[in-house]
Coordinates of all heavy atoms in Angstrom, one line a residue:
G1 N 104.4 105.5 118.4 CA 104.4 106.8 119.1 C 104.0 107.8 118.1 O 103.5 107.5 117.0
P2 N 104.1 109.1 118.5 CA 103.8 110.2 117.5 C 104.6 110.1 116.2 O 105.8 109.8 116.3 CB 104.1 111.4 118.3 CG 104.0 111.0 119.7 CD 104.5 109.6 119.8
V3 N 103.9 110.3 115.1 CA 104.6 110.3 113.8 C 104.9 111.8 113.4 O 104.1 112.6 113.6 CB 103.7 109.7 112.8 CG1 104.4 109.6 111.4 CG2 103.2 108.3 113.2
V4 N 106.2 111.9 113.0 CA 106.6 113.3 112.7 C 107.0 113.4 111.2 O 107.6 112.5 110.6 CB 107.9 113.6 113.5 CG1 108.4 115.0 113.1 CG2 107.6 113.6 115.0
A5 N 106.4 114.4 110.5 CA 106.7 114.6 109.1 C 107.0 116.1 108.9 O 106.3 117.0 109.4 CB 105.6 114.2 108.2
D6 N 108.1 116.4 108.2 CA 108.5 117.8 107.9 C 108.7 118.6 109.2 O 108.4 119.8 109.3 CB 107.5 118.5 107.0 CG 107.5 118.0 105.6 OD1 108.3 117.1 105.3 OD2 106.6 118.4 104.8
G7 N 109.1 117.9 110.3 CA 109.3 118.6 111.6 C 108.1 118.7 112.5 O 108.3 119.3 113.5
R8 N 106.9 118.2 112.0 CA 105.7 118.4 112.8 C 105.1 117.1 113.1 O 105.0 116.2 112.2 CB 104.7 119.4 112.1 CG 105.2 120.8 112.0 CD 104.2 121.7 111.4 NE 103.9 121.3 110.0 CZ 102.8 120.7 109.6 NH1 101.8 120.5 110.4 NH2 102.6 120.4 108.3
A9 N 104.5 116.9 114.3 CA 103.8 115.7 114.6 C 102.5 115.7 114.0 O 101.8 116.8 113.9 CB 103.6 115.6 116.1
L10 N 102.0 114.6 113.5 CA 100.7 114.4 112.9 C 99.7 114.7 114.0 O 99.8 114.1 115.1 CB 100.5 113.1 112.3 CG 100.9 112.9 110.8 CD1 102.4 113.2 110.6 CD2 100.6 111.5 110.3
R11 N 98.6 115.4 113.7 CA 97.5 115.7 114.6 C 96.2 115.5 114.0 O 96.0 115.9 112.8 CB 97.6 117.1 115.2 CG 98.9 117.3 116.0 CD 98.9 118.6 116.8 NE 100.2 118.7 117.6 CZ 100.4 118.3 118.8 NH1 99.4 117.6 119.4 NH2 101.5 118.4 119.4
D12 N 95.3 114.8 114.7 CA 93.9 114.6 114.2 C 93.1 115.9 114.3 O 93.6 116.9 114.8 CB 93.2 113.5 114.9 CG 92.9 113.8 116.4 OD1 92.9 115.0 116.8 OD2 92.7 112.8 117.2
P13 N 91.9 115.9 113.7 CA 91.1 117.2 113.7 C 90.9 117.8 115.1 O 90.6 119.0 115.2 CB 89.8 116.8 113.0 CG 90.2 115.7 112.1 CD 91.3 114.9 112.9
G14 N 91.0 117.0 116.1 CA 90.8 117.5 117.5 C 92.1 118.0 118.1 O 92.1 118.5 119.2
G15 N 93.2 117.8 117.4 CA 94.5 118.3 117.9 C 95.3 117.3 118.6 O 96.5 117.6 119.0
A16 N 94.8 116.1 118.7 CA 95.6 115.0 119.4 C 96.7 114.4 118.4 O 96.4 114.4 117.2 CB 94.7 113.9 119.9
E17 N 97.8 114.1 119.0 CA 98.9 113.5 118.2 C 98.4 112.1 117.7 O 97.7 111.3 118.4 CB 100.1 113.3 119.0 CG 100.8 114.6 119.3 CD 102.1 114.4 120.0 OE1 102.3 113.3 120.6 OE2 103.0 115.3 120.0
V18 N 98.7 111.8 116.4 CA 98.3 110.6 115.8 C 99.4 109.5 115.9 O 100.6 109.8 115.7 CB 98.1 110.8 114.3 CG1 97.8 109.5 113.6 CG2 96.9 111.8 114.1
C19 N 99.0 108.3 116.3 CA 99.9 107.2 116.4 C 99.4 106.1 115.4 O 98.2 105.8 115.4 CB 99.9 106.6 117.8 SG 100.6 107.7 119.0
L20 N 100.3 105.7 114.6 CA 100.1 104.6 113.6 C 100.9 103.4 114.1 O 102.1 103.5 114.1 CB 100.5 105.0 112.2 CG 99.7 106.1 111.6 CD1 100.4 106.7 110.4 CD2 98.3 105.6 111.2
H21 N 100.2 102.4 114.6 CA 100.9 101.2 115.2 C 101.5 100.4 114.1 O 102.0 100.9 113.1 CB 100.0 100.5 116.1 CG 99.4 101.3 117.2 ND1 100.3 101.8 118.2 CD2 98.2 101.7 117.5 CE1 99.6 102.5 119.0 NE2 98.3 102.5 118.7
A22 N 101.6 99.1 114.2 CA 102.3 98.2 113.2 C 101.9 98.6 111.8 O 100.7 98.5 111.5 CB 102.0 96.8 113.5
D23 N 102.8 98.9 111.0 CA 102.5 99.5 109.7 C 103.3 98.8 108.6 O 102.9 97.9 107.9 CB 102.8 101.0 109.8 CG 102.3 101.8 108.6 OD1 102.2 101.2 107.5 OD2 102.0 103.0 108.7
Q24 N 104.6 99.3 108.4 CA 105.4 98.7 107.4 C 105.9 97.3 107.7 O 106.2 97.0 108.9 CB 106.6 99.6 107.1 CG 106.2 101.0 106.5 CD 105.8 102.0 107.6 OE1 106.3 101.9 108.7 NE2 105.0 103.0 107.3
L25 N 106.1 96.5 106.7 CA 106.7 95.2 106.9 C 107.2 94.7 105.6 O 106.8 95.0 104.5 CB 105.6 94.1 107.4 CG 104.6 93.6 106.5 CD1 103.8 92.4 107.1 CD2 103.5 94.6 106.0
E26 N 108.3 93.8 105.7 CA 108.9 93.2 104.6 C 109.4 91.8 105.0 O 109.8 91.6 106.1 CB 110.1 94.0 104.1 CG 109.8 95.4 103.6 CD 109.0 95.5 102.4 OE1 108.9 94.4 101.7 OE2 108.4 96.5 102.1
V27 N 109.3 90.9 104.1 CA 109.9 89.5 104.3 C 111.2 89.4 103.5 O 111.4 89.9 102.4 CB 108.9 88.4 103.7 CG1 109.6 87.0 103.8 CG2 107.6 88.5 104.4
S28 N 112.3 88.9 104.2 CA 113.6 88.7 103.6 C 113.4 87.8 102.3 O 112.6 87.0 102.3 CB 114.6 88.2 104.6 OG 114.2 86.9 105.0
P29 N 114.3 88.0 101.3 CA 114.2 87.2 100.1 C 114.3 85.7 100.3 O 113.6 85.0 99.6 CB 115.4 87.7 99.3 CG 115.7 89.1 99.8 CD 115.4 89.1 101.2
D30 N 114.9 85.3 101.4 CA 115.0 83.8 101.6 C 113.8 83.4 102.5 O 113.7 82.2 102.8 CB 116.3 83.4 102.3 CG 116.6 84.2 103.6 OD1 115.7 84.8 104.1 OD2 117.7 84.1 104.1
G31 N 113.0 84.3 102.9 CA 111.8 84.0 103.7 C 112.0 83.7 105.1 O 111.1 83.4 105.9
R32 N 113.3 83.9 105.6 CA 113.6 83.6 107.0 C 113.1 84.6 108.0 O 112.8 84.3 109.1 CB 115.1 83.4 107.2 CG 115.7 82.2 106.5 CD 117.2 82.1 106.8 NE 117.5 82.1 108.2 CZ 118.6 82.5 108.8 NH1 119.6 83.0 108.1 NH2 118.8 82.4 110.1
W33 N 113.1 85.9 107.6 CA 112.8 87.0 108.5 C 111.6 87.8 108.1 O 111.5 88.1 106.9 CB 114.0 87.9 108.6 CG 115.3 87.2 109.2 CD1 116.3 86.7 108.4 CD2 115.5 86.8 110.5 NE1 117.2 86.1 109.2 CE2 116.8 86.2 110.5 CE3 114.9 87.1 111.7 CZ2 117.4 85.8 111.7 CZ3 115.5 86.6 112.9 CH2 116.7 86.0 112.9
L34 N 110.9 88.3 109.1 CA 109.9 89.3 108.8 C 110.4 90.6 109.6 O 110.7 90.5 110.8 CB 108.5 88.9 109.4 CG 107.4 90.0 109.2 CD1 107.0 90.1 107.8 CD2 106.3 89.8 110.2
Y35 N 110.6 91.6 108.8 CA 110.9 92.9 109.3 C 109.6 93.8 109.4 O 108.8 93.8 108.5 CB 111.9 93.6 108.4 CG 113.2 92.9 108.2 CD1 113.4 92.0 107.2 CD2 114.3 93.1 109.1 CE1 114.6 91.3 107.0 CE2 115.5 92.4 108.9 CZ 115.6 91.5 107.9 OH 116.8 90.8 107.7
Y36 N 109.4 94.5 110.5 CA 108.2 95.2 110.7 C 108.4 96.4 111.6 O 109.4 96.4 112.4 CB 107.1 94.3 111.2 CG 107.3 93.8 112.6 CD1 106.8 94.4 113.7 CD2 108.1 92.6 112.8 CE1 107.0 93.9 115.0 CE2 108.3 92.1 114.0 CZ 107.8 92.8 115.1 OH 108.1 92.3 116.4
Q37 N 107.5 97.4 111.6 CA 107.7 98.5 112.5 C 106.4 99.3 112.5 O 105.6 99.3 111.6 CB 108.8 99.4 112.0 CG 108.5 100.0 110.6 CD 109.5 101.1 110.2 OE1 110.7 100.8 110.2 NE2 109.0 102.3 109.9

């Protein structure tokens, strides 16, 4: 959904809210789990 930084939603040059879909991810040290968001 909309990304918020310092209290404001990110907006592209046209003024629309920016959505960054699947982005961060980490694998658990034992390799059993993938965490993502």
Side-chain angles (χ1 to χ4, degrees):
V3 182
V4 177
D6 294 351
R8 293 183 296 111
L10 271 60
R11 294 189 180 275
D12 67 21
E17 291 184 339
V18 174
C19 292
L20 295 165
H21 299 298
D23 192 332
Q24 295 85 27
L25 76 168
E26 299 294 342
V27 177
S28 63
D30 59 10
R32 290 183 57 205
W33 298 100
L34 178 76
Y35 300 90
Y36 64 96
Q37 63 170 59

